[in-house]
């Protein structure tokens, strides 16, 4: 997974399982607000592409919005409400496929992170502080489960 530079998160992070960023031990990830990119290579068997089949990427739970691309081609546009599912038929192919999912969350976690007593830097600039350090964090990121589905159209 990759994060943009200059927003407190590491440039790269590896998640052994999908979970909310707020569960991460790294404060840069825990309090991150913005867009992060997940990437994964998937091998698609030829039988997924039977005549008339539709290949779908089901993202499961996303907080808050997601944009999907497969093999460098944008598919499904921006997903902002359940079901977080994109038709990837036009971009998926038998064999190796590269999937990228850009997930954008909301600002409260960054603002709450900036209020922490151990915060070394502020990343959000506001005229007022609507959140205290003790405010609950909002689930963020791609929590899944992510599934690739092949459905035969009747």
């Amino acid at each position: 997974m990759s994060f943009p530079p200059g927003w407190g998160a590491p440039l790269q992070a590896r998640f052994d399982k999908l979970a909310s960023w707020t569960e991460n031990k790294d404060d840069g990830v825990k309090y991150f607000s913005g867009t992060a990119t997940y990437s994964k290579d998937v091998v698609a068997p030829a039988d997924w592409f039977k005549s008339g089949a539709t290949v779908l990427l089901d993202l499961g739970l996303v907080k808050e919005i997601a944009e999907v691309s497969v093999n460098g081609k944008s598919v499904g546009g921006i997903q902002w409400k359940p079901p977080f599912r994109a038709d990837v038929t036009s971009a998926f192919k038998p064999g190796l496929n590269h999937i990228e999912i850009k997930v954008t969350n909301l600002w409260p976690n960054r603002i709450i992170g900036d209020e922490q007593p151990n915060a070394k830097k502020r990343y959000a600039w506001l005229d007022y502080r609507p959140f205290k350090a003790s405010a609950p964090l909002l689930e963020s990121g791609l929590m899944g489960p992510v599934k690739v589905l092949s459905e035969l159209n009747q």
Side-chain angles (χ1 to χ4, degrees):
M1 185 162 119
S2 62
F3 293 92
W7 287 102
L11 292 179
Q12 299 287 322
R14 181 172 172 78
F15 285 26
D16 293 328
K17 65 177 186 140
L18 294 175
S20 175
W21 300 338
T22 60
E23 296 176 21
N24 200 284
K25 292 179 180 170
D26 183 320
D27 283 351
V29 175
K30 182 177 184 174
Y31 298 115
F32 177 77
S33 290
T35 302
T37 304
Y38 296 80
S39 60
K40 178 92 174 163
D41 289 330
V42 175
V43 176
D47 66 346
W48 282 5
F49 303 90
K50 295 176 184 167
S51 180
T54 299
V55 181
L56 301 170
L57 184 63
D58 185 330
L59 303 180
L61 180 60
V62 174
K63 294 292 182 169
E64 289 299 324
I65 61 173
E67 182 178 3
V68 177
S69 65
V70 177
N71 299 321
K73 181 179 179 182
S74 180
V75 292
I78 296 202
Q79 306 290 315
W80 59 275
K81 64 181 181 62
F84 291 97
R85 192 177 270 195
D87 182 339
V88 296
T89 308
S90 65
F92 239 68
K93 62 185 189 312
L96 188 65
N97 293 273
H98 182 72
I99 299 171
E100 284 193 350
I101 304 164
K102 293 181 180 180
V103 175
T104 305
N105 69 342
L106 301 174
W107 273 102
N109 294 350
R110 176 71 275 151
I111 298 165
I112 294 165
D114 287 357
E115 294 298 317
Q116 298 305 305
N118 62 342
K120 294 178 175 90
K121 179 179 178 182
R122 285 193 184 273
Y123 295 92
W125 296 269
L126 303 168
D127 290 338
Y128 75 108
R129 298 285 173 202
F131 300 100
K132 296 186 184 318
S134 60
L137 296 173
L138 302 178
E139 278 190 315
S140 296
L142 175 62
M143 289 157 278
V146 176
K147 299 175 189 170
V148 179
L149 310 169
S150 178
E151 296 180 346
L152 209 51
N153 297 322
Q154 301 285 332

